[in-house]
Every structure is written in C-alpha cells, then in structure tokens.
Amino acid sequence: VSGMKKIFIIFITSLLAISMLGTMTVQATEPSLSRMEDYADLLDMEAERNIRNLLDEKSRELEFDLVIVTTESTGGKSSQDYADDFYDQNYYGYNKVHGDGALYLDNYYIGYCWFSTCGRVMDEYSDYEIDELIGDVCEDVNYDPYHAYRTYVNSLSNTMSGRADQIPFGIILLVALVVTLIYVIIGIFHNKGKKTTTASTYVAGGNP
C-alpha cells in the first residue's frame, strides 16, 4: 500500500471512529419519582398512565427526562423555585443526576405554569420556543389537561428530535486531521534514520 493510500485510510478510519463515539447511547439514571406526578388530581388513572407512558417513551427516544408535575401548593415557593427544586431533589436527568431534561409545572391553585429546563434542553431550547410551547399548553390546560400535557410532550419532542447530542462534524474533522498529521510526522521521523538502497543507487561496475 502506498504512503498516500495509508494516510487516506487512517484519515477515513479516524472519522468513522470519532463519529461512532458521538452517537453512542448514554446510560439513563433512575429518578426517585415517575415522570408524571399529578398531585392536583387533574387526570383520572387511565389518563395519568397514558401520559406517564408517553413521557417514558419520548425520554428514552430523545435521551433526556421529560417530566410533568401538577400541584395545588408550592409550599410558599415561587413556581420557578418549586419546579427547579423538584427536578433536582428527585434526581431527574437522563444522562446523569441533574442532567438533561425538562419539567413542566402546572400550579393549578393559582392557574400558573412554569417550564424548567436543564442540561442540553436548556442549551438548545430558545426563549422563543419556550414561550410558544407554554402558550400552546396553557391554552388547553384549564379545560382539557390531558390534551394539554400531550401537546407539551409532542411539541417538545418534535422540536428536539433533530438535535441529537452528537459531536459536531467540525470537531470530528479536526480530530481526524490531527490524528492523520501525527501519523505523517511519526512516519517522516521514522524513515529519516533509515538508509535505503534502491535499484538506482548503484550501477554495474561500481560506478555512479
């Protein structure tokens, strides 16, 4: 195999290896509670089970925790503090404790909702997208909470589905180039100390 062909093979192999690392599935952590906690009793048992199953399915598919909590009391906390504390204290976060995820809080007592994000969801979900999501959910939640919660899950899932947590291609390309460059440099220094004899080094009779 020629030198250039070897370099090309190493470059392609590096690209493939780093790409595979970027798409490896992360191991989910186990929260202390389910992803659907209906403390305000807004759903019947069947509806609650259906929403819980949908949350679990989408969480596994997208690799971040999708959580819904309803309450009639926040214990004197603001909706934001209650949602953030609930997420942290119950070990949500798909890739690690306090890791990637989102929690929708329906504070039924005061008719107020809050959307709390963490990790990758917080980094990638824009303020505009959050406002749009909250608007869509709050429009239905008073008279049809089941439909509103399904809207939350499906809307968030659809928005995030194209944003898998992968290594950016630019980084993959850069690392592959560095690996190839290292190989070339090592090859140059390795061959520098060798004395080579080829068919054209000597001619008959010992004369150049």
Side-chain angles (χ1 to χ4, degrees):
V1 183
S2 69
M4 284 302 296
K5 194 175 286 186
K6 277 184 180 178
I7 291 171
F8 178 74
I9 291 170
I10 289 170
F11 178 71
I12 294 300
T13 304
S14 300
L15 277 177
L16 291 173
I18 299 163
S19 298
M20 287 174 66
L21 282 173
T23 54
M24 285 177 67
T25 335
V26 294
Q27 178 64 46
T29 60
E30 290 298 327
S32 60
L33 297 175
S34 76
R35 295 183 174 99
M36 175 72 232
E37 294 295 333
D38 184 21
Y39 298 118
D41 289 327
L42 302 180
L43 303 174
D44 60 37
M45 289 182 65
E46 183 180 358
E48 185 176 344
R49 183 171 59 251
N50 289 340
I51 294 294
R52 184 178 292 114
N53 290 340
L54 181 62
L55 288 166
D56 290 343
E57 175 192 336
K58 293 299 183 181
S59 294
R60 286 191 297 269
E61 181 183 313
L62 297 170
E63 297 181 3
F64 62 81
D65 271 339
L66 270 163
V67 184
I68 295 174
V69 179
T70 74
T71 186
E72 290 185 319
S73 171
T74 59
K77 297 180 180 179
S78 68
S79 294
Q80 178 179 358
D81 288 343
Y82 182 89
D84 291 345
D85 290 348
F86 195 96
Y87 190 92
D88 292 343
Q89 291 168 6
N90 292 293
Y91 309 110
Y92 293 108
Y94 191 92
N95 56 327
K96 60 182 179 180
V97 174
H98 308 159
D100 300 338
L103 184 149
Y104 173 81
L105 172 68
D106 185 354
N107 189 345
Y108 186 72
Y109 179 72
I110 61 172
Y112 189 78
C113 57
W114 185 265
F115 181 54
S116 178
T117 58
C118 191
R120 179 162 58 95
V121 186
M122 182 174 65
D123 294 337
E124 298 184 10
Y125 216 73
S126 70
D127 290 342
Y128 172 78
E129 289 167 331
I130 290 173
D131 290 342
E132 223 179 29
L133 175 64
I134 293 297
D136 291 342
V137 177
C138 289
E139 190 175 319
D140 292 342
V141 77
N142 287 329
Y143 61 89
D144 190 353
Y146 177 74
H147 181 265
Y149 301 152
R150 287 189 64 88
T151 297
Y152 158 73
V153 178
N154 290 324
S155 177
L156 181 57
S157 301
N158 291 337
T159 303
M160 292 294 294
S161 60
R163 305 176 183 179
D165 192 17
Q166 299 177 352
I167 299 174
F169 182 73
I171 294 178
I172 294 175
L173 184 61
L174 179 62
V175 174
L177 286 170
V178 169
V179 170
T180 306
L181 182 61
I182 290 171
Y183 169 80
V184 171
I185 292 170
I186 291 173
I188 289 171
F189 280 98
H190 181 67
N191 292 325
K192 197 172 182 181
K194 287 185 176 180
K195 292 182 179 178
T196 58
T197 302
T198 65
S200 61
T201 304
Y202 300 102
V203 293
N207 295 317

